[in-house]
Amino acid sequence: EHSMVAPDAPVVLKVENLNAGKMVQNVSFELRKGEILGFSGLMGAGRTETARALFGADPKQSGKISIRGKDGQLREVTINSPQDAVKYGIGYLSEDRRRYGCVVQKSVTENTTLATMEEFTSGIFINKSKEKEVSEKYVKELATKTPNCEQLVVNLSGGNQQKVVLGKWLCADCSLLMIDEPTRGIDVGAKVEIYELMKELVERGMGILMISSEMPELIGVCDRIVVMHEGRISGELSRGSFSEETIMAYAAGQAV
């Protein structure tokens, strides 16, 4: 259990009336520093689409996104591409790890530094020694079970692939991380390690938005849970009032 987020913790992300396609309609919420905010709902409720719109992976029609900058000020930003999102300190671990999370045919080192490639590149030359040093630091920190950093990610287990991806975003120094189905297809031991990593990230002051279809996971890990139904937010629960029945009712679009 990580400690409750202080109610006066600064807001790192404020989303107002976000619209993107049919799947994201008038979505508004806030995410605080050090908070794990869960997104629940049935398949097709619009959770992934919300994250993709925020990350600039899908176009938005309207809405306001404000991010807390390094100076502590919350200000509106324009995110038209994932590059913009990363620039504003937003990381995204997609459910489709093979497509977005890591490049499985590359090594652990290469994957860890993908998000911050420009930091390791001067002109067109990649600083291999710096890249290796940084990735080894994160592999050690994440206790990633890989024989060495040159191992191809395709040869790692799902849980370890996920840890490589978390390492990538740790490396990118983002203040806000969206994670879609973080433990899908991962064995129980690795799940616990991923929850530990998430806890460590929020303790460092990151805000995490976690989309999950597993209710026990949401109830066990989150500070608040937002529930979506047909593209809209249908309810919100705080830790202390979490219950599977209430989440299910909101997910079905019923008033509670």
Side-chain angles (χ1 to χ4, degrees), residues 3 6 10 34 36 76 104 108 130 134 140 142 149 157 164 219-220 223 231 234 245:
S3 56
I36 299 179
E76 190 175 355
V104 288
V108 172
K130 182 173 177 208
V134 169
K140 201 160 84 218
L142 300 174
C149 286
S157 69
V164 168
I219 288 170
D223 296 290
S234 53
E245 296 73 31

Side-chain angles (χ1 to χ4, degrees), residues 12 20 26 55 59 61 91 102-103 107 110 116 159-160 171 210 229 242:
V12 287
N26 216 26
F55 195 62
Q61 275 90 42
C102 41
V103 182
S107 70
E110 291 167 313
T116 43
N160 282 312
C171 187
M210 176 173 85
H229 169 72
F242 290 166

Side-chain angles (χ1 to χ4, degrees), residues 9 29 32 40 55 58 69 74 77 110-111 127 141 161-162 164 173 179 186 199 203 205 210 221 223 230 237 253:
F29 65 91
R32 293 184 179 275
S40 184
F55 195 62
D58 288 339
L74 195 65
V77 294
E110 291 167 313
N111 269 288
N127 179 340
E141 206 168 292
Q161 286 188 10
Q162 189 67 314
V164 168
D173 184 31
I179 314 182
I186 288 175
K199 260 194 322 221
E203 274 156 20
M210 176 173 85
V221 178
D223 296 290
E230 292 183 353
L237 301 88

Side-chain angles (χ1 to χ4, degrees), residues 8 14 34 37 51 67-68 80 106 120 154-155 164 174-176 216 233 241-242 253:
D8 58 352
K14 186 178 168 86
L37 174 66
I67 299 278
R68 180 171 184 259
N80 292 323
K106 290 195 162 186
F120 301 97
V154 72
N155 300 333
V164 168
C174 52
S175 55
L176 163 65
I233 290 180
S241 63
F242 290 166

Side-chain angles (χ1 to χ4, degrees), residues 45-231:
R47 297 168 301 165
T48 296
E49 289 80 2
T50 298
R52 288 180 55 85
L54 290 173
F55 195 62
D58 288 339
K60 303 175 267 301
Q61 275 90 42
S62 60
K64 186 172 165 185
I65 301 169
S66 304
I67 299 278
R68 180 171 184 259
K70 293 260 186 269
D71 60 1
Q73 295 300 309
L74 195 65
R75 59 174 65 86
E76 190 175 355
V77 294
T78 304
I79 298 172
N80 292 323
S81 68
Q83 286 75 14
D84 290 343
V86 172
K87 183 177 79 188
Y88 290 120
I90 302 177
Y92 178 43
L93 262 75
S94 155
E95 179 186 3
D96 187 349
R97 285 193 279 284
R98 292 192 172 275
R99 256 184 77 196
Y100 300 102
C102 41
V103 182
V104 288
Q105 293 303 344
K106 290 195 162 186
S107 70
V108 172
T109 298
E110 291 167 313
N111 269 288
T112 303
T113 52
L114 269 178
T116 43
M117 214 51 217
E118 49 281 19
E119 281 182 31
F120 301 97
T121 317
S122 57
I124 53 168
F125 302 103
I126 292 175
N127 179 340
K128 281 290 181 198
S129 62
K130 182 173 177 208
E131 184 185 43
K132 190 167 191 294
E133 179 194 329
V134 169
S135 79
E136 277 175 359
K137 168 175 170 250
Y138 285 112
V139 164
K140 201 160 84 218
E141 206 168 292
L142 300 174
T144 303
K145 294 178 184 62
T146 170
N148 57 52
C149 286
E150 305 315 308
Q151 174 77 326
L152 293 184
V153 171
V154 72
N155 300 333
L156 301 179
S157 69
N160 282 312
Q161 286 188 10
Q162 189 67 314
K163 284 199 268 181
V164 168
V165 182
L166 274 171
K168 171 175 102 170
W169 292 116
L170 270 171
C171 187
D173 184 31
C174 52
S175 55
L176 163 65
L177 185 58
M178 300 187 288
I179 314 182
D180 201 343
E181 302 289 1
T183 60
R184 176 164 285 172
I186 288 175
D187 66 75
V188 174
K191 277 188 184 188
V192 172
E193 290 182 327
I194 284 165
Y195 299 146
E196 288 299 318
L197 270 172
M198 286 169 63
K199 260 194 322 221
E200 190 184 316
L201 291 172
V202 290
E203 274 156 20
R204 290 180 183 200
M206 193 184 273
I208 293 181
L209 188 162
M210 176 173 85
I211 298 167
S212 174
S213 299
E214 295 186 37
M215 273 199 278
E217 173 166 276
L218 289 168
I219 288 170
V221 178
C222 297
D223 296 290
R224 281 186 302 133
I225 298 171
V226 163
V227 188
M228 289 188 72
H229 169 72
E230 292 183 353

